[in-house]
Amino acid sequence: MIRQALISGGGIGGLAAALACTRAGWEVRLFEQAARFSEVGAGIQLGPNVTRVLQGWDLAGALAEVAAFPDRLQVRHAVSGQELGVLPLGAAMVQRYGAPYATVHRADLHQLLLDKVRQRMDATLNLNFRLARFTQTGDAVTVQGRVRSDEEIGKKPPAWGPQIEGDALIGADGLWSPVRQWLLADGPPRVTGHLAYRALLPQSSLPERLRSQHVTAWLGPRLHVVQYPVRGGEWLNVVGIVQGRLDAASSADLDNWDHATNAQALRAALAGTCAPLQDLINAIDAWRLWILCDRPPLERAQQQAQGRVALLGDAAHPMRPYLAQGAGMAIEDAAELGRALGQALDPAFDVPTMLARYALNRWQRNARVQARAIRNGQIFHADGLVRWGRDAALKLLGERLLDLPWLYGGT
Ligand code: FAD
């Protein structure tokens, strides 16, 4: 029996879903609204729970070519500079969880998934195709989108494409997912009041003392900064997150979340921090800004699948980046989706039942990670007594607090 999955969105989640579904024996038609497949210039951390999935998809070698594998995660106080706790990564992670802790450029991760999907004869990738109309019956799901040819771009509004029918629709279309709105009609995501400033630069452009091959999290009142190597350690990714809102004018285009910005506001927010951190921030001129949005944690499985439609990645569970697992959960979703849809090829199981099982197997873990990410943000940005308690606990129990067996050991 040939079954066809329609996938809305060609980000990390959509490509991972395409790979998992084709590996499970489904045909895939993926639709991406952009004119080309691309990812923003930023880093991403992948815990062993995620690299284990990539290993299972024969991507360990490709990942090793582009990623860095830091040997420690260190937590430092942003004001005193003091080291608060350390989690050994490197060989310790492989030994404990059977897979490495990797840090990678988002575009490199996206590209290695894209290369793998392109090798599959059973996947069709469509660019310039913005899905906007959806219907489902008991037997099928139908989508229609606005399509543009390269010559038409910028000349006239895109025309409606043909109606396309499939056995399942996977909404992997991100934070502002149109598939989610059709399915759940729960309105836009919420603005968190946190701003992420990010920079990605060759380590060689920094003075020797500012280069680093570790993951370092600097925790300060109402802010934190994370830095780690990518691209085999040759580049450094730096993200500074501060609490604050942009004025109405500059936040008007919230869904265009990749803004060029200057470093003034970040430097002002970090004014009271220690010299090594300020030196790093002051050494970097080019920053981009993300206005962080999320949704409350999932409350039930039906928020992740209904009938022949399932949500995956940020479309289902957009989260704050304080556990570094948003893309990780999208990749875990994709692996579970592949397992469920593989079983749906057996005539004894129908597609809605197997998508419901996918949602049942995923929603609680996704909700837990969303909730933990919110809590981490409160702990990272703590001040006063809570900060004192955090620092004391980290000094006493560092590794035990920073290691997360429920997350890194499970899926
Ligand atoms: P997206 O990447 O948003 O992809 C959605 C795609 O759908 C886009 O290509 C879009 O163009 C397309 N699309 C949208 N609408 C349509 C339509 N109607 N038709 C067709 N196509 C459509 N995660 C980690 O795992 N580790 C980290 O260290 C980490 N760090 C982060 C740091 C920051 C500052 C932030 C903001 C996030 C971080 N994340 C991290 C989270 C991670 O970036 C996201 O969870 C992940 O990229 C989501 O992938 P996605 O494919 O679900 O969505």
Side-chain angles (χ1 to χ4, degrees):
M1 185 192 318
I2 295 176
R3 295 256 199 214
Q4 193 169 73
L6 311 176
I7 299 179
S8 178
I12 290 166
L15 290 176
L19 185 55
C21 292
T22 50
R23 287 175 61 92
W26 279 56
E27 284 184 2
V28 161
R29 294 180 79 175
L30 182 147
F31 305 93
E32 167 55 49
Q33 65 182 357
R36 60 189 179 87
F37 288 105
S38 66
E39 258 293 350
V40 294
I44 212 157
Q45 301 183 64
L46 299 175
N49 55 312
V50 188
T51 56
R52 194 181 309 116
V53 176
L54 298 178
Q55 284 175 348
W57 292 341
D58 302 323
L59 285 168
L63 182 68
E65 281 178 26
V66 294
F69 298 95
D71 59 5
R72 72 200 306 251
L73 179 157
Q74 57 188 9
V75 181
R76 295 181 65 175
H77 200 291
V79 177
S80 67
Q82 197 184 16
E83 185 171 277
L84 299 173
V86 170
L87 175 66
L89 301 176
M93 280 278 153
V94 178
Q95 200 174 14
R96 193 167 307 160
Y97 298 113
Y101 194 103
T103 50
V104 62
H105 191 307
R106 295 169 69 98
D108 294 340
L109 175 62
H110 189 260
Q111 187 65 44
L112 66 87
L113 288 168
L114 181 60
D115 290 346
K116 201 74 173 174
V117 173
R118 280 189 170 138
Q119 288 166 13
R120 308 237 19 140
M121 302 299 289
D122 37 12
T124 315
L125 305 179
N126 304 276
L127 289 167
N128 285 322
F129 207 121
R130 181 181 171 79
L131 293 189
R133 287 181 180 160
F134 314 93
T135 46
Q136 72 165 316
T137 61
D139 298 331
V141 59
T142 308
V143 301
Q144 199 177 11
R146 299 270 191 189
V147 194
R148 297 184 297 190
S149 68
D150 285 347
E151 304 80 61
E152 286 169 340
I153 290 174
K155 290 189 188 153
K156 58 180 181 184
W160 283 103
Q163 291 200 338
I164 299 158
E165 200 177 271
D167 297 289
L169 169 64
I170 311 306
D173 37 15
L175 184 62
W176 303 90
S177 164
V179 175
R180 182 189 180 105
Q181 283 320 301
W182 169 56
L183 200 66
L184 305 178
D186 59 353
R190 60 186 181 189
V191 179
T192 62
H194 293 196
L195 304 173
Y197 293 82
R198 61 182 172 76
L200 192 64
L201 65 164
Q203 302 240 25
S204 57
S205 68
L206 289 169
E208 189 84 47
R209 68 196 155 81
L210 297 178
R211 300 176 196 171
S212 170
Q213 295 298 331
H214 310 307
V215 181
T216 306
W218 305 82
L219 311 186
R222 292 172 298 288
L223 62 89
H224 76 281
V225 177
V226 181
Q227 62 178 83
Y228 50 83
V230 296
R231 297 208 152 147
E234 288 180 13
W235 286 62
L236 187 69
N237 181 70
V238 185
V239 185
I241 296 189
V242 300
Q243 290 178 215
R245 292 182 183 270
L246 293 185
D247 59 45
S250 47
S251 62
D253 59 344
L254 259 184
D255 55 346
N256 172 21
W257 38 266
D258 184 24
H259 303 262
T261 189
N262 64 48
Q264 271 169 7
L266 179 64
R267 287 183 182 148
L270 267 62
T273 59
C274 62
L277 178 54
Q278 292 215 27
D279 285 352
L280 176 68
I281 301 301
N282 291 334
I284 303 171
D285 290 323
W287 293 87
R288 297 191 74 82
L289 178 64
W290 241 312
I291 301 165
L292 296 182
C293 298
D294 75 346
R295 288 185 185 275
L298 293 166
E299 290 174 348
R300 54 192 180 280
Q302 289 75 11
Q303 289 173 295
Q304 204 162 341
Q306 290 177 23
R308 292 177 175 273
V309 184
L311 301 178
L312 179 147
D314 277 10
H317 40 71
M319 59 185 73
R320 301 182 190 194
Y322 311 142
L323 198 53
Q325 285 282 341
M329 290 303 108
I331 289 170
E332 282 194 10
D333 282 350
E336 181 58 35
L337 183 72
R339 280 190 284 274
L341 291 189
Q343 280 187 286
L345 291 176
D346 181 336
F349 301 101
D350 62 32
V351 173
T353 304
M354 296 320 294
L355 287 183
R357 182 174 294 181
Y358 152 76
L360 269 175
N361 286 344
R362 287 302 304 158
W363 80 271
Q364 282 168 309
R365 180 162 167 91
N366 286 325
R368 185 175 184 186
V369 173
Q370 284 177 293
R372 181 64 185 255
I374 292 171
R375 208 180 102 208
N376 270 8
Q378 291 159 352
I379 295 170
F380 288 3
H381 292 191
D383 205 356
L385 269 184
V386 180
R387 187 197 90 183
W388 183 87
R390 173 199 72 198
D391 293 354
L394 273 171
K395 277 185 212 155
L396 203 64
L397 300 167
E399 185 175 340
R400 274 182 59 194
L401 287 180
L402 296 169
D403 196 6
L404 303 169
W406 65 270
L407 179 61
Y408 300 143
T411 51

